[in-house]
Amino acid sequence: MTVGLPGLGGSGEVVGVVAELVGVTVFALSGGLVAARRGMDLFGAVVLALVAGLGGGTIRDVLLGAVPPTNLSNAWALGCAAAAGVVAFYADLGLARFRRAVLVLDAGGLGLFTVSGAVTALALGAPALAAVLLGLVTGIGGGVLRDLLSGQVPVVLQDDIYALPSLAGSVAVVVLWQVGAFSATAGVVVAGAVFTVRLLARRRR
Amino acid sequence: MTVGLPGLGGSGEVVGVVAELVGVTVFALSGGLVAARRGMDLFGAVVLALVAGLGGGTIRDVLLGAVPPTNLSNAWALGCAAAAGVVAFYADLGLARFRRAVLVLDAGGLGLFTVSGAVTALALGAPALAAVLLGLVTGIGGGVLRDLLSGQVPVVLQDDIYALPSLAGSVAVVVLWQVGAFSATAGVVVAGAVFTVRLLARRRR
Amino acid sequence: MTVGLPGLGGSGEVVGVVAELVGVTVFALSGGLVAARRGMDLFGAVVLALVAGLGGGTIRDVLLGAVPPTNLSNAWALGCAAAAGVVAFYADLGLARFRRAVLVLDAGGLGLFTVSGAVTALALGAPALAAVLLGLVTGIGGGVLRDLLSGQVPVVLQDDIYALPSLAGSVAVVVLWQVGAFSATAGVVVAGAVFTVRLLARRRR
């Protein structure tokens, strides 16, 4: 199985692969930043980056029976996640910039993995309702594992506008797919919309 | 795959479906109550209700290779869990009634999912010993995830008479199945016995 | 599927089975000790011993699609893990000896499960990179679950020389396997090397 948006073919496949790697990288950066902030060392930062970056996709693949999970044998995904952990560890942001960075990175991963989860489920023949749930679980999975392992209550349980944009994005992907209107471009637009809504909701406060 | 007690057919199947939905609902109510008590908002309560209500069955299905997990494409299960989260969020119980409610709901889910886990494993051809373990893991799984995500040490590790009635119930189901004496009625009786033992053990204190 | 080092046959198979049981037992002992230290009762200690002893192998099998996980239907593994929980509960060590015991037991499990994870992945046809990751995840999995459930940040995130020896051992197994030089003896040597490096790194402090 290839990483990304299966079933789109050609340039859609390329967009999917790039989107997955961007998603892995931004979630991994958030993991590395959290690790550094909580006083972990470089190795802890790399491990938490791997967990955050690869966690959502791994949960997605296990729930769909696509084992071993694709990202675990994808040198690009592993390399991006590990490198992100190193970069984040040495980033040395102040508290305010740390919080903003994690918020933005996490929102990016949320959007990209929501789309990735729903599309992968649909491409593997899952029912529509399961695909919606898979989008949600894949989108929030990496952040939940990151927060759990670093001893925090997951952000999805603390923040009202987190699961909701992911759920809406997942529904949008499934509806577009069902009516035959899904494309790589549509996927990027949905991911961007989830990202934007998540950020706007936080800013408004 | 249908939800519930596979391999029973006819009215047994109906009992199984209803039992699974009751189990999902009571565990979901416990999740929503815990979320509200810990100061989460409505969305957090719904997410924790989904995790508690669907977690045990999802672990069961992943361990048995029945993917995507049945409850993730079951509109009734999802609807019951989400509705339970909303209801629990607005229940507004005092601390004493909150504790009692979570205890009773959790015990109900423990009994029903213990039976559901063991029966599903047997129906899918798992060895007897694996079926016993699956009953235990399915019974305690939703509560473990609920407690972990809300930042608590799981009740199964804190309370002596929790894993034990689940284990005994799971053994009872497997033995009844092996001697050909399992039925929907027997399943309900075992679930009720697990529920009762769990509550009596707590009351005694 | 049998437990241990599949694909080796004959005496290699025996070594694999024994190594797996030793790994289960030492991780389970660490789980039971942690439970007792944190004030859990006997049942909590047995449950945490089962989680620590069987967790890594269960994650390994789920990620490889070998379900139901082998250890869940292995009476020896279950018996060793449960017995280890009881023994650890009554061990009554002082704080210093408790810390040393958990360190040594955990390092032993880390080494043995790193090898077990990589070998099982290779024997089931996983790509080399996935096998490396599976060795790491299997090696650290039991300890991560033990720490998470007992309300601690996992040791792998706290301690620099933990993931690294596991990763190196996993790479060694995969390289040896690829050049056709892997054997049961080689597996034991690699596990011993992971164990030794982990302990030396801690002592140095």
Side-chain angles (χ1 to χ4, degrees), chain C residues 91-163:
Chain C
D92 196 23
L93 309 176
L95 183 57
R97 289 181 63 206
F98 159 77
R99 285 206 177 126
R100 211 157 48 228
V102 168
L103 175 65
V104 172
L105 293 165
D106 186 273
L110 183 71
L112 290 164
F113 274 111
T114 295
V115 175
S116 155
V119 170
T120 306
L122 291 164
L124 292 179
L129 193 55
V132 169
L133 263 283
L134 260 294
L136 177 64
V137 169
T138 307
I140 70 178
V144 167
L145 291 178
R146 176 197 65 214
D147 295 345
L148 265 189
L149 289 179
S150 58
Q152 298 171 284
V153 172
V155 60
V156 65
L157 294 176
Q158 308 249 44
D159 214 334
D160 47 356
I161 311 295
Y162 191 93

Side-chain angles (χ1 to χ4, degrees), chain A residues 78-107:
Chain A
L78 289 167
C80 285
V86 174
V87 168
F89 182 75
Y90 290 113
D92 197 22
L93 308 177
L95 183 58
R97 288 181 62 206
F98 159 76
R99 285 206 176 127
R100 210 159 46 228
V102 168
L103 175 66
V104 172
L105 293 164
D106 186 274

Side-chain angles (χ1 to χ4, degrees), chain C residues 2-4 12 17 23 47 54 58 70 85 101 115 129 132 135 140 176 182 188:
Chain C
T2 57
V3 183
V17 169
V47 170
L54 307 174
T58 299
T70 52
V115 175
L129 193 55
V132 169
I140 70 178
L176 287 170
F182 187 79
V188 172

Side-chain angles (χ1 to χ4, degrees), chain A residues 20-175:
Chain A
E20 179 93 4
L21 285 180
V22 174
V24 165
T25 305
V26 295
F27 258 142
L29 283 168
S30 80
L33 287 174
V34 168
R37 168 64 46 185
R38 293 179 75 84
M40 298 175 193
D41 56 34
L42 178 59
F43 292 97
V46 170
V47 170
L48 203 57
L50 288 167
V51 168
L54 307 174
T58 299
I59 293 173
R60 172 197 68 205
D61 291 353
V62 165
L63 290 178
L64 286 166
V67 290
T70 52
N71 283 338
L72 297 192
S73 54
N74 182 335
W76 283 98
L78 289 167
C80 285
V86 174
V87 168
F89 182 75
Y90 290 113
D92 197 22
L93 308 177
L95 183 58
R97 288 181 62 206
F98 159 76
R99 285 206 176 127
R100 210 159 46 228
V102 168
L103 175 66
V104 172
L105 293 164
D106 186 274
L110 182 71
L112 289 164
F113 275 109
T114 295
V115 175
S116 155
V119 170
T120 307
L122 291 164
L124 292 178
L129 191 56
V132 169
L133 263 281
L134 259 294
L136 177 64
V137 169
T138 307
I140 70 177
V144 167
L145 290 177
R146 176 197 65 214
D147 294 345
L148 265 190
L149 289 179
S150 59
Q152 299 171 283
V153 172
V155 60
V156 64
L157 293 177
Q158 309 247 44
D159 214 334
D160 48 354
I161 312 295
Y162 191 93
L164 207 64
S166 170
L167 182 63
S170 195
V171 168
V173 168
V174 172
V175 169

Side-chain angles (χ1 to χ4, degrees), chain B residues 11-69:
Chain B
S11 64
E13 192 75 35
V14 173
V15 173
V17 169
V18 172
E20 179 93 4
L21 286 180
V22 174
V24 165
T25 306
V26 295
F27 258 142
L29 282 168
S30 81
L33 287 174
V34 168
R37 166 66 43 185
R38 292 180 75 84
M40 298 175 192
D41 55 35
L42 178 60
F43 292 97
V46 171
V47 170
L48 203 56
L50 288 167
V51 167
L54 306 174
T58 299
I59 293 173
R60 173 196 68 203
D61 292 352
V62 165
L63 290 178
L64 287 166
V67 290

